[in-house]
Amino acid sequence: MSLRDSIGASGTRAWKRAAPRFAAVRPDTGRATLKTKLHEKLLSRIDVGALESTAPGLVRKQLKGVIEDLLTEEPYALNDAERNQIVIDIQNEVTGLGPIEPLLADPSVSDILVNGASQIFVERRGRLEATDLRFNDNAHLMKIIERIVSRVGRRVDESSPMVDARLPDGSRVNAVIPPLALDGPMLSIRRFPARQLTMQDLIDTGTLDSAMAEVVEGLVKSRTSVLISGGTGSGKTTFLNVLSGSIPASERVVTIEDAAELRLRQPHVVRLETRVANIEGQGEVTQRALVRNALRMRPDRIIVGEVRGAEVIDMLQAMNTGHEGSMTTIHANAPHDALLRLENMVGMSGMTVPQQAFRQLVVAAISVVIQTARLSDGRRKVVSIQEITGMEGDVILMQEIFMFAQTGVAPDGTVEGHFRATGIRPAFCERLRVRGVTLPNHLFDPGYDRK
């Protein structure tokens, strides 16, 4: 049965018998009122349960016919463009995320930031800009938030006013609602590109150069454990996704995340996601519990989307006990800060681990720290690749292999600079050679033409 067939006795013919008086629609409140009225009438006359078992494309097609029928009942004079826009808006309300649905279809939008019902910002090419899109009110925005989180089995209410979730395409979602959000519900969506990026894409966009790309790909292929460090929005997860493309297809990979957003292309990938406690405070599953369980799943590598707490100790132990080549990300502004944060996480978790013993564990587990950053012009770059070389006393020693040297800022705000090698040939080259990955000496030559 189609959606049009599911309409009750007060159906299309009854609407057409009415002889409405036509009135002009005011562009501000009139159209919003009309859409709300049509939406409510639509929901009262269709079988909402049928939507779940119908293909999205067919649903939108059937909805279009039903909405056009409903429009004949309304006493408003609408031109074709206005009618089409109302049809699209209501389709988005029923099958998508309402006013922000067009933004999800825009490949140039990387972030969608909703600050209450009346303020929606987007990020394009690293720059924030306001939009003229709006939700009807805070209740309308709450419905969209609840629709998002319910799809992944999570909840958001006064007892749990913060939530992390994801969209079907892997985009990361965070929502905060009153009483924590003082100006109405807040929604942040960190989008993933529709097409999976490759290392060549990062080279083309200037995230790193070809020499750096050849080295980091060699590190992954040779099962060298890597820590990706960077600030918020610096491209850590995107870079981790691209790096994972170099993992051989023969390996079994287990990914662990708070909100699953990694999209690995290997055929043998097991994806695990944490679970928050229910309303009774029961049922929580932490990243640490998942890391421990992953060790029993016969993984070749474990990839933790981001280490934030006590799971760091289990992750490092895994890297030291046969799971070489594992990778993770961490929030930090510099490679040395990243290692300090690892140490602080253990202390804040309540575990008592001697400082020197923990640092020895870090040195044994992690070989390379890759630092990403978002520059002042909005572009993301790999600004440093450093090798952990050992310890001297209780100090972890590191040496920088590659760096981005900023030389200035152009009049249009574009950051000027170039990638360069420091001239140090890293100790991991021998490890890579033994494992079948040979890196040419000229990659580490500061005078090598890197264009």
Side-chain angles (χ1 to χ4, degrees):
M1 177 185 293
S2 69
L3 295 178
R4 193 180 298 208
D5 294 336
S6 70
I7 297 176
S10 57
T12 305
R13 285 176 293 180
W15 308 337
K16 291 183 177 178
R17 284 198 299 269
R21 292 176 297 171
F22 291 96
V25 178
R26 289 193 307 165
D28 48 3
T29 59
R31 191 172 303 164
T33 302
L34 175 58
K35 286 191 292 186
T36 301
K37 183 177 180 181
L38 289 172
H39 188 204
E40 292 174 351
K41 188 177 291 187
L42 176 69
L43 294 179
S44 69
R45 299 189 184 187
I46 65 173
D47 180 7
V48 179
L51 300 179
E52 301 295 331
S53 57
T54 307
L58 181 58
V59 169
R60 292 184 71 89
K61 182 178 180 180
Q62 293 182 349
L63 282 174
K64 183 176 187 295
V66 176
I67 297 165
E68 288 174 344
D69 289 343
L70 288 170
L71 278 169
T72 63
E73 184 183 3
E74 298 302 325
Y76 293 105
L78 300 170
N79 59 38
D80 288 344
E82 291 171 332
R83 291 174 67 91
N84 289 337
Q85 189 58 52
I86 287 176
V87 170
I88 292 172
D89 289 346
I90 297 177
Q91 286 175 322
N92 290 339
E93 287 294 332
V94 176
T95 65
L97 301 183
I100 62 175
E101 188 68 22
L103 300 177
L104 294 171
D106 185 348
S108 69
V109 172
S110 56
D111 284 85
I112 303 171
L113 308 171
V114 182
N115 305 333
S118 60
Q119 218 177 44
I120 301 177
F121 287 83
V122 297
E123 180 187 285
R124 287 188 174 93
R125 294 171 292 278
R127 304 277 187 168
L128 287 177
E129 55 187 68
T131 73
D132 57 1
L133 300 174
R134 300 290 184 271
F135 287 87
N136 296 339
D137 49 35
N138 285 337
H140 182 202
L141 174 53
M142 275 301 303
K143 288 181 181 178
I144 298 300
I145 292 174
E146 289 167 353
R147 180 180 300 173
I148 293 172
V149 302
S150 64
R151 287 174 177 172
V152 293
R154 303 204 171 187
R155 63 184 178 87
V156 60
D157 50 40
E158 285 192 6
S159 64
S160 180
M162 296 187 296
V163 66
D164 286 318
R166 67 180 187 279
L167 298 180
D169 66 355
S171 298
R172 182 193 306 172
V173 177
N174 176 266
V176 184
I177 68 170
L180 300 187
L182 302 182
D183 300 317
M186 304 293 168
L187 177 66
S188 305
I189 300 177
R190 173 68 53 83
R191 295 196 58 212
F192 262 31
R195 182 180 67 85
Q196 284 188 288
L197 298 178
T198 65
M199 191 63 75
Q200 187 60 49
D201 292 322
L202 298 188
I203 295 172
D204 293 341
T205 56
T207 301
L208 74 173
D209 69 11
S210 57
M212 297 164 70
E214 186 172 348
V215 171
V216 296
E217 286 181 326
L219 290 171
V220 176
K221 291 176 183 177
S222 64
R223 297 178 60 86
T224 302
S225 296
V226 173
L227 176 66
I228 301 172
S229 168
T232 300
S234 62
K236 299 185 299 298
T237 304
T238 298
F239 193 68
L240 179 58
N241 258 317
V242 173
L243 272 188
S244 68
S246 300
I247 298 175
S250 59
E251 296 187 15
R252 174 176 168 87
V253 183
V254 177
T255 68
I256 298 169
E257 302 171 84
D258 273 334
E261 54 185 327
L262 293 173
R263 295 184 293 179
L264 274 63
R265 288 165 284 190
Q266 285 72 17
H268 201 165
V269 176
V270 179
R271 304 170 71 214
L272 304 179
E273 185 179 61
T274 62
R275 187 175 70 182
V276 297
N278 59 23
I279 197 169
E280 290 84 19
Q282 304 296 319
E284 180 183 17
V285 180
T286 65
Q287 281 201 145
R288 186 177 190 191
L290 291 179
V291 172
R292 285 179 168 180
N293 188 77
L295 298 176
R296 307 183 185 99
M297 299 173 68
R298 199 266 177 215
D300 290 305
R301 305 193 197 211
I302 298 174
I303 298 179
V304 178
E306 180 183 335
V307 288
R308 293 191 177 96
E311 69 273 4
V312 62
I313 194 73
D314 300 284
M315 181 71 189
L316 293 173
Q317 288 176 336
M319 292 176 175
N320 273 322
T321 55
H323 302 92
E324 298 170 308
S326 296
M327 296 182 284
T328 188
T329 72
I330 188 172
H331 275 84
N333 293 326
H336 282 282
D337 293 343
L339 301 186
L340 182 60
R341 280 211 68 212
L342 291 176
E343 192 172 322
N344 290 339
M345 286 176 186
V346 175
M348 290 187 293
S349 68
M351 292 184 292
T352 303
V353 180
Q355 182 185 76
Q356 185 158 359
F358 179 78
R359 292 181 179 180
Q360 288 172 340
L361 180 62
V362 170
V363 170
I366 301 173
S367 298
V368 175
V369 180
I370 300 173
Q371 183 71 33
T372 63
R374 181 169 61 175
L375 306 184
S376 58
D377 59 4
R379 292 182 299 167
R380 279 85 169 175
K381 288 189 180 293
V382 174
V383 295
S384 182
I385 298 178
Q386 298 199 22
E387 179 185 29
I388 297 177
T389 58
M391 290 187 66
E392 187 174 288
D394 60 352
V395 178
I396 297 177
L397 301 180
M398 303 180 73
Q399 59 184 12
E400 190 166 40
I401 310 302
F402 297 103
M403 64 178 295
F404 176 75
Q406 182 174 335
T407 57
V409 179
D412 63 355
T414 302
V415 173
E416 298 176 331
H418 59 275
F419 296 107
R420 69 177 182 87
T422 61
I424 297 174
R425 182 174 175 82
F428 60 64
C429 285
E430 180 60 23
R431 172 194 175 96
L432 268 61
R433 187 192 65 78
V434 170
R435 301 198 175 192
V437 179
T438 302
L439 297 177
N441 288 331
H442 65 73
L443 296 180
F444 308 102
D445 182 359
Y448 173 61
D449 184 2
R450 308 173 66 80
K451 296 182 179 179

